[in-house]
Amino acid sequence: MTNPAIPPSPTREEYARDYAAALAANGDETIFDRPEPIGLFVEWLEQAKAHEPNDANAMALSTVDADGAPDSRMVLLKDVDGRGFTFYSNRESAKGVELEATPRAALLFHWKSLRRQVRVRGAVEPVTAEEADAYFASRARESRIGAWASDQSRPLAGRAALEAAVAREAARFEGQDVPRPERWTGWRVTPQAIEFWRDRPFRLHDRLLFTRDGDGWRRTRLQP
């Protein structure tokens, strides 16, 4: 039997009561006429920023480890354009090591307030040093110091050890700019496939898949 902690499937009455906003947001058929996915993604992200309580740019990043086992974590999208989807982290972290060995990834955006999601799959490449420098310089000073203090993904004796490392780096850079550590960089996922999903009643959802086709995109509507 289903665990009682897991909500049951909605009834017809619950759909009518609870899905009104989603029905209003997700009934526009013109999305299936879009010629390319990046503009549609940016439009959905802007709408999510107006509705999500925090971090509308949060995305699940999935990689594979040395044994081929999938590995997922939440990161923040920091740029998107025709080249792809960009995020930043420590190259010595688990994700950095895995991307170095297997430079392919999947992304998942889930905007619960709008009952929408976007899936992205593609090859991954590091951003340029200039791009990494520019974004690092835009971060809060405390975040830049933290990038020096944290040996990301490595064992930690306790919170006090991390705070001591932060204090040490803060003292080292006192009165001066905090440069980017060489191990801190960014990656860009160049999409080969982008799928848009939106909730419709009774699990009859809308799905629109864009697949890279030369310099353009092939558009396919999928069964729910």
Side-chain angles (χ1 to χ4, degrees), residues 165-216:
V166 171
R168 181 188 69 238
E169 298 300 333
R172 182 159 74 100
F173 291 113
E174 185 175 3
Q176 58 182 298
D177 190 32
V178 181
R180 176 178 66 88
E182 191 280 333
R183 66 187 182 183
W184 193 96
T185 188
W187 294 266
R188 180 175 292 108
V189 179
T190 302
Q192 293 299 312
I194 304 178
E195 181 187 327
F196 295 81
W197 176 101
R198 61 185 189 182
D199 194 326
R200 302 303 296 270
F202 308 109
R203 306 293 185 250
L204 299 176
H205 309 306
D206 285 330
R207 298 174 63 187
L208 177 61
L209 174 65
F210 288 88
T211 307
R212 184 80 68 176
D213 186 10
D215 293 332

Side-chain angles (χ1 to χ4, degrees), residues 34-55:
R34 302 299 180 90
E36 59 83 32
I38 301 300
L40 179 57
F41 174 84
V42 171
E43 181 180 316
W44 277 25
L45 179 59
E46 287 292 340
Q47 292 171 5
K49 285 165 57 179
H51 291 85
E52 291 294 302
N54 52 58
D55 293 337

Side-chain angles (χ1 to χ4, degrees), residues 91-109:
R91 73 170 80 245
E92 297 175 359
S93 66
K95 70 178 80 66
V97 172
E98 290 168 0
L99 288 170
E100 176 69 22
T102 307
R104 299 189 64 79
L107 308 174
L108 172 62
F109 298 84

Side-chain angles (χ1 to χ4, degrees), residues 64-132:
V64 294
D65 67 13
D67 296 323
D71 201 1
S72 296
R73 76 288 286 163
M74 300 301 295
V75 299
L76 296 177
L77 176 71
K78 289 302 180 181
D79 195 16
V80 59
D81 56 26
R83 298 172 298 172
F85 298 75
T86 302
F87 62 96
Y88 293 86
S89 187
N90 187 323
R91 73 170 80 245
E92 297 175 359
S93 66
K95 70 178 80 66
V97 172
E98 290 168 0
L99 288 170
E100 176 69 22
T102 307
R104 299 189 64 79
L107 308 174
L108 172 62
F109 298 84
H110 179 214
W111 297 306
K112 188 174 180 64
S113 63
L114 294 174
R115 300 183 184 271
R116 293 176 178 174
Q117 66 180 10
V118 177
R119 300 167 59 203
V120 179
R121 291 183 295 155
V124 179
E125 63 179 9
V127 301
T128 65
E130 292 75 16
E131 288 176 294

